[in-house]
Amino acid sequence: MSHEKLLDRLWLLLVALTLGGAWIGEAAEPGLAVTIIVALTMAFKGRMVVDHFMELKTANRTLRNLMRGFFYVLPAVTVLTTLFGDWLAKLTTL
Amino acid sequence: MLLTAEVPPPEPVAGRIPGNKGIWAGILSEMTEFALLFGVYFIARAHYPEVFRAGPAQLSTLAGTLNTVMMISGSYFVAKAVHAIRQNRQQACLRWLFLVLLAASGYMVIKALEFQWNLSQGITGGRNLFFTVYYYLTFTHIVHVGWGMIGLLWVMVRARSGAYTPADHDGLEAFASYWHATDLAWLVIFPLLYVLH
């Protein structure tokens, strides 16, 4: 697939995932499963922008790892805060 | 011998830095700033889970969704502008940059309408900790979009004057990288503030 076609398809996919995310926010019952879906969607969208829009997939390794790392850590912390929120609250209580 | 001294060897593709090192210092600072603010969000959420579960339902999901579409589209348009200049299609590059400006302006208008709607509902930063974090994060993001729009106008002027060529368009790439980073920050803000109950 050409780079241009990849950009076009990714744009449509990212918009579709955004609309799906909005639907989840409005309609789905809150819970761990929904949190995991939201976190995975966040991770996927970020990775696609970093790799293909930002073109870091084939660029400097340090920059690629730092930017990709953002979308490993934040989705993971999103799920962990749901699972271990009490522990985090205790840890951060002065 | 003289010729090899004058022509530097091509940079390895795997080590290429899109744009320039200066913009990446700015981008990494921006990402660090947002990472700290997201850290505040997670700690606040751990302390007040009920407030953070109820918060998103009181915001306009429509505004959050439309702004996400604006940010993603702006990112896509600027990627197409870079692609166009690599093919030496200068007018196409300028047209894509104009679409970036439209998306950025749309984002600003939607944000203004959203804040107006919030205030009509009595949603201020002092209402509870969720909204304090919401305003901190979204105002910070607006500031970054604003800086980006100033950079965008400069890049458009440069593109219009024919300053970018397939061989030399580092300035355009630098702006594109910054704009993508601002999009990335929003791709975290949207689920945390508007979706995750």
Side-chain angles (χ1 to χ4, degrees):
Chain A
M1 191 191 309
S2 71
H3 181 58
E4 195 159 23
K5 268 193 181 160
L6 178 69
L7 293 177
D8 296 344
R9 288 183 186 181
L10 267 183
W11 177 50
L12 293 174
L13 179 61
L14 292 171
V15 170
L17 286 172
T18 299
L19 299 179
W23 178 81
I24 285 175
E26 289 287 301
E29 281 295 314
L32 182 60
V34 169
T35 303
I36 291 171
I37 291 169
V38 168
L40 286 175
T41 308
M42 184 203 300
F44 178 78
K45 286 163 85 175
R47 178 66 172 263
M48 290 303 104
V49 172
V50 167
D51 277 8
H52 302 291
F53 283 5
M54 230 172 191
E55 300 182 339
L56 288 181
K57 190 176 184 180
T58 54
N60 182 276
R61 188 188 300 162
T62 305
L63 294 179
R64 179 171 63 246
N65 289 340
L66 283 170
M67 297 305 292
R68 281 182 175 176
F70 207 75
F71 287 92
Y72 287 122
V73 173
L74 288 173
V77 177
T78 302
V79 175
L80 291 174
T81 305
T82 304
L83 283 174
F84 306 108
D86 292 343
W87 177 81
L88 180 60
K90 274 182 197 160
L91 191 73
T92 53
T93 299
L94 296 175
Chain B
M1 189 66 186
L2 185 63
L3 186 65
T4 52
E6 284 175 354
V7 181
E11 201 176 0
V13 172
R16 200 177 81 86
I17 292 176
N20 54 56
K21 286 182 181 175
I23 197 68
W24 278 98
I27 288 170
L28 295 177
S29 301
E30 178 187 4
M31 299 314 277
T32 304
E33 179 187 12
F34 275 108
L36 287 171
L37 287 174
F38 292 136
V40 170
Y41 167 93
F42 288 120
I43 291 169
R45 187 179 181 105
H47 281 268
Y48 300 94
E50 294 307 322
V51 167
F52 275 72
R53 271 187 213 121
Q58 296 166 66
L59 291 174
S60 167
T61 309
L62 178 64
T65 306
L66 287 176
N67 266 339
T68 311
V69 172
M70 290 296 155
M71 289 309 299
I72 286 172
S73 299
S75 211
Y76 164 70
F77 296 150
V78 79
K80 294 286 277 192
V82 171
H83 186 74
I85 204 66
R86 284 180 187 150
Q87 296 182 322
N88 206 22
R89 293 187 292 129
Q90 304 219 1
Q91 284 306 311
C93 172
L94 196 56
R95 279 197 295 274
W96 285 114
L97 289 175
F98 183 72
L99 287 176
V100 181
L101 184 63
L102 276 186
S105 305
Y107 166 94
M108 288 295 195
V109 169
I110 293 163
K111 263 277 153 262
L113 292 173
E114 182 186 354
F115 285 160
Q116 207 172 29
W117 184 82
N118 284 352
L119 292 176
S120 73
Q121 308 288 313
I123 297 174
T124 62
R127 186 160 172 175
N128 63 40
L129 202 53
F130 173 81
F131 292 108
T132 308
V133 174
Y134 158 81
Y135 278 112
Y136 260 117
L137 271 169
T138 50
F139 267 120
T140 304
H141 192 262
I142 287 171
V143 169
H144 285 279
V145 172
W147 291 130
M149 287 177 79
I150 295 170
L152 171 60
L153 291 174
W154 171 247
V155 164
M156 288 177 79
V157 169
R158 297 271 294 157
R160 196 164 190 274
S161 66
Y164 300 128
T165 64
D168 181 9
H169 52 275
D170 286 355
L172 178 62
E173 272 195 352
F175 164 74
S177 299
Y178 177 84
W179 197 257
H180 295 312
T182 308
D183 175 33
L184 287 172
W186 185 263
L187 290 183
V188 181
I189 290 173
F190 173 63
L192 293 187
L193 292 179
Y194 295 87
V195 177
L196 203 61
H197 289 246

